[in-house]
Amino acid sequence: MKTYSLFHLADDVLLHGLKSLLACDRTTTAELLAHIAEVDERRLYLPAAYPSMYLYCVHELHMSEDSALKRIQAARAARKFPGIFTAVAEGRLHLSAVCMLAPHLTPEHADTLLAAAEHKTKAEIALLLAARFPRPDVPTTVQAVAVTGAPDLMTPAPVAAFAAEPAPGHVESASRPRTTIAPLSPGRFDVRFTLDQSAHDLLRYAQALLGHAVPSGDIAEVVKRGLATLVEQLEKRVFAVSARPRSQRSAAKGRHVPAEVRRTVWRRDGGRCTFTSAAGQRCPACTRLELDHVDPLARGGATIPGNLRLRCRAHNQYTAERAFGAGFMERKREEARGRTAERRAASTGTGTGATTHIEPAPGHVDQRARREEVIPWLRRLGL
């Protein structure tokens, strides 16, 4: 009996095995497409009592509906343009890419379009197609959406409903997951999402407030202005980005990173994780970024731009584990979770099962309230 537990493999052996299996899988996929294309061309599904290649794949070969649609569409495209077989086998094109490109392939420009799509993600191919085959903008609309109930999981679905399946000579495009942003043409995107009532009210209120600046009430322009303001606020809060930065007034102490240092590191690293693999691949993450000390702070590393870099949370943790050990970091994370739980319990009074409210002593001044009252006035004075 074959076992699929690989815990005993060394890292390099595991990665080598993964790449080898992926290469085999791509070759097998290309061969599978060739077989599907030939069976489809000969209509061998008819003697097997299926009216279409789609139903033959689903019921005879036990493929999922999505898998069958995608492979049949790719196989038919590859039969017309055989270069697709080689591109799939060599890993230059994936099946989703072939299905996205298939409706646009013609003998005149198939080779150039396939070459332009090599090693691209679905999002990148969507941008490529939008640039080469631009579509008009969608109309701006806001409409109520009916809320449908959840499907009845106790009612069995019909089996082998042949009348509703694709005809033998036609296969619809492979179903794709719903996307919220789809490129239409260079620099133009179709964005669709659902708002709740409060967000809808905010949108309408923003339109009203921008009545003079945006008389048409164009939703795209309102959202654009709102996002610009939001991004400005987030950049200022997270990495102290400012159009008129003040000179550094406080020195770095411990884990405190002055605003000027945060701004410098953010601009230098381009707002992106700086982790780079041994092969030179830089991490593409631009979210959940953190400041990481090159020379760890625990070992005396200074909090200066030259000793700081942007890292995503995953690579920040990974670097720390390499420096201090996975066990040590796990204990630190567990301790941090414990402290967080204690603070929450203390603030809610659930730590001991009883809520205790401590009144301030007579004459005592709440320091937090004092700071909140004084700090705005100090800022107005330029301090």
Side-chain angles (χ1 to χ4, degrees):
M1 178 178 177
K2 184 176 178 60
T3 178
Y4 294 96
S5 177
L6 305 177
F7 70 92
H8 61 284
L9 297 180
D11 292 351
D12 56 341
V13 175
L14 183 64
L15 292 174
H16 182 268
L18 175 61
K19 292 180 180 179
S20 298
L21 288 171
L22 182 59
C24 293
D25 179 69
R26 289 167 174 166
T27 301
T28 302
T29 298
E31 294 176 353
L32 176 62
L33 293 181
H35 280 73
I36 290 176
E38 191 61 30
V39 171
D40 185 37
E41 179 67 19
R42 298 185 190 185
R43 301 206 298 174
L44 297 182
Y45 48 81
L46 293 175
Y50 293 99
S52 68
M53 187 65 193
Y54 169 80
L55 290 172
Y56 179 81
C57 289
V58 171
H59 297 286
E60 183 68 22
L61 302 181
H62 305 294
M63 293 183 182
S64 70
E65 291 84 350
D66 289 348
S67 178
L69 285 171
K70 181 178 290 187
R71 281 156 179 75
I72 293 172
Q73 186 181 16
R76 288 177 177 172
R79 188 173 181 85
K80 292 180 182 178
F81 306 99
I84 293 176
F85 290 122
T86 305
V88 171
E90 295 177 354
R92 291 183 280 116
L93 290 176
H94 46 76
L95 285 183
S96 296
V98 176
C99 293
M100 294 173 69
L101 296 170
H104 305 280
L105 296 176
T106 62
E108 292 76 21
H109 65 264
D111 292 340
T112 57
L113 187 57
L114 292 172
E118 290 182 0
H119 302 297
K120 282 185 168 54
T121 64
K122 290 174 62 177
E124 291 170 340
I125 293 174
L127 291 173
L128 171 67
L129 293 176
R132 299 203 176 197
F133 309 98
R135 294 178 289 167
D137 290 359
V138 296
T140 301
T141 60
V142 176
Q143 58 185 9
V145 181
V147 179
T148 58
D152 185 1
L153 300 180
M154 300 303 294
T155 304
V159 179
F162 294 115
E165 303 296 351
H170 175 72
V171 173
E172 297 291 341
S173 298
S175 61
R176 59 178 182 172
R178 294 182 62 185
T179 57
T180 56
I181 302 178
L184 297 171
S185 59
R188 310 293 291 177
F189 299 86
D190 174 14
V191 181
R192 304 190 185 195
F193 56 92
T194 302
L195 294 173
D196 60 18
Q197 185 62 52
S198 61
H200 173 269
D201 294 343
L202 286 173
L203 174 61
R204 292 306 192 191
Y205 187 40
Q207 285 178 306
L209 293 175
L210 288 170
H212 292 289
V214 187
S216 64
D218 181 51
I219 293 177
E221 181 62 25
V222 173
V223 172
K224 178 180 177 181
R225 290 176 178 239
L227 289 175
T229 301
L230 176 62
V231 168
E232 181 180 353
Q233 292 176 352
L234 292 176
E235 286 184 339
K236 184 177 181 179
R237 178 172 63 85
V238 178
F239 285 102
V241 176
S242 175
R244 295 184 298 175
R246 293 179 294 178
S247 59
Q248 182 174 333
R249 295 178 179 271
S250 60
K253 294 181 180 179
R255 294 191 176 277
H256 169 69
V257 182
E260 179 62 28
V261 175
R262 283 185 285 158
R263 282 193 293 268
T264 301
V265 176
W266 173 267
R267 294 194 182 104
R268 183 199 65 203
D269 295 345
R272 177 181 168 188
C273 177
T274 59
F275 184 86
T276 305
S277 70
Q281 171 65 38
R282 181 176 175 180
C283 175
C286 296
T287 61
R288 303 187 73 187
L289 298 178
E290 301 172 345
L291 288 171
D292 173 51
H293 287 75
V294 179
D295 185 14
L297 184 66
R299 295 177 177 173
T303 305
I304 58 176
N307 194 48
L308 290 171
R309 58 195 173 187
L310 288 181
R311 286 287 169 90
C312 65
R313 175 161 298 184
H315 279 127
N316 196 359
Q317 294 293 318
Y318 173 71
T319 304
E321 289 177 357
R322 292 177 63 185
F324 299 101
F328 176 83
M329 291 305 301
E330 181 57 34
R331 289 194 299 273
K332 287 295 183 181
R333 285 191 288 267
E334 187 62 34
E335 292 173 2
R337 286 191 288 267
R339 289 192 296 270
T340 301
E342 290 176 0
R343 285 195 298 268
R344 289 177 178 173
S347 63
T348 59
T350 59
T352 61
T355 301
T356 303
H357 179 67
I358 303 177
E359 294 290 347
H364 172 76
V365 179
D366 189 333
Q367 295 298 323
R368 178 178 297 178
R370 189 178 210 176
R371 286 196 298 270
E372 291 176 351
E373 180 181 353
V374 173
I375 286 177
W377 292 97
L378 295 176
R379 285 177 175 169
R380 291 183 184 181
L381 294 174
L383 300 178

